[in-house]
Amino acid sequence: SYSNVFECCENLSNIDFLNNVTQIGSQAFFKCNGLTNIIIPSNVTRLSNQVFRSCENLESVNVQGETIIGLYCFDGCTKLESIVLDEIPSIETCAFNGCYALKEITVTGIISKIYNDAFKSCYSLTNITLPICNTHAIQWFIDNGYENALNITPHPLEKHDRVEPTY
């Protein structure tokens, strides 16, 4: 994985990840303010620290596979409104810190671990949809004051029922 590879590329507006990409290096897309929507394909298993930090025009993220979300990965993405997550081994500390516009999170699989302050300063978060078997994540959101935002589904969503991003 390459670090800082596209840092501050203001005109970068679209990313298509190749099938052989499994990790995205630290700060790879730091301050790429042309990005508005990102789809992380299932072959990517790790988003390193600060990958999309300060991408100020980013509005939606769809992580389609078993992907670790690193420290401060989306920190400062102030226009980020919606996230779709699949099977997530971990969401690390401050991964979504300062995502003030974040309104909804849809989890289609299981989040195994959520670290402290993963969603710090996400003041607009009002809708978190996750399956009932996701007990760790449900408890984490309750313990961190998001119990009124929870929408629990009876089971993990099947691939054909999963929410697809609308752009």
Side-chain angles (χ1 to χ4, degrees):
S1 68
Y2 295 94
S3 297
N4 304 86
V5 70
F6 294 103
E7 180 179 349
C8 297
C9 287
E10 295 285 329
N11 294 324
L12 182 65
S13 61
N14 188 40
I15 305 169
D16 289 323
F17 296 102
L18 299 175
N19 290 338
N20 63 345
V21 173
T22 59
Q23 295 188 33
I24 302 173
S26 295
Q27 296 186 332
F29 298 98
F30 176 75
K31 282 195 170 186
C32 290
N33 290 329
L35 295 172
T36 56
N37 305 296
I38 297 171
I39 297 174
I40 307 296
S42 60
N43 50 285
V44 176
T45 59
R46 179 161 184 80
L47 296 175
S48 297
N49 301 343
Q50 304 179 38
V51 172
F52 295 101
R53 188 174 194 175
S54 298
C55 290
E56 295 173 356
N57 293 312
L58 186 61
E59 296 174 0
S60 68
V61 173
N62 185 335
V63 181
Q64 298 182 335
E66 286 191 46
T67 305
I68 295 169
I69 300 175
L71 296 165
Y72 295 93
C73 191
F74 294 94
D75 175 57
C77 295
T78 56
K79 292 184 181 173
L80 182 61
E81 292 185 3
S82 68
I83 304 167
V84 177
L85 303 172
D86 193 12
E87 298 285 332
I88 305 296
S90 69
I91 299 175
E92 295 181 6
T93 302
C94 294
F96 294 95
N97 177 55
C99 295
Y100 306 124
L102 183 60
K103 294 177 186 167
E104 70 178 318
I105 301 169
T106 302
V107 180
T108 57
I110 302 295
I111 300 174
S112 299
K113 176 114 177 107
I114 304 174
Y115 286 84
N116 290 338
D117 296 329
F119 294 93
K120 184 178 179 182
S121 302
C122 294
Y123 303 121
S124 301
L125 191 52
T126 56
N127 187 8
I128 304 165
T129 302
L130 34 119
I132 195 165
C133 58
N134 206 335
T135 55
H136 169 75
I138 292 168
Q139 191 61 54
W140 188 93
F141 283 112
I142 290 170
D143 291 347
N144 286 274
Y146 294 107
E147 62 274 1
N148 292 332
L150 286 174
N151 176 18
I152 311 299
T153 60
H155 53 79
L157 298 174
E158 297 298 325
K159 291 278 186 196
H160 63 282
D161 292 332
R162 294 187 181 185
V163 177
E164 294 300 321
T166 56
Y167 302 124

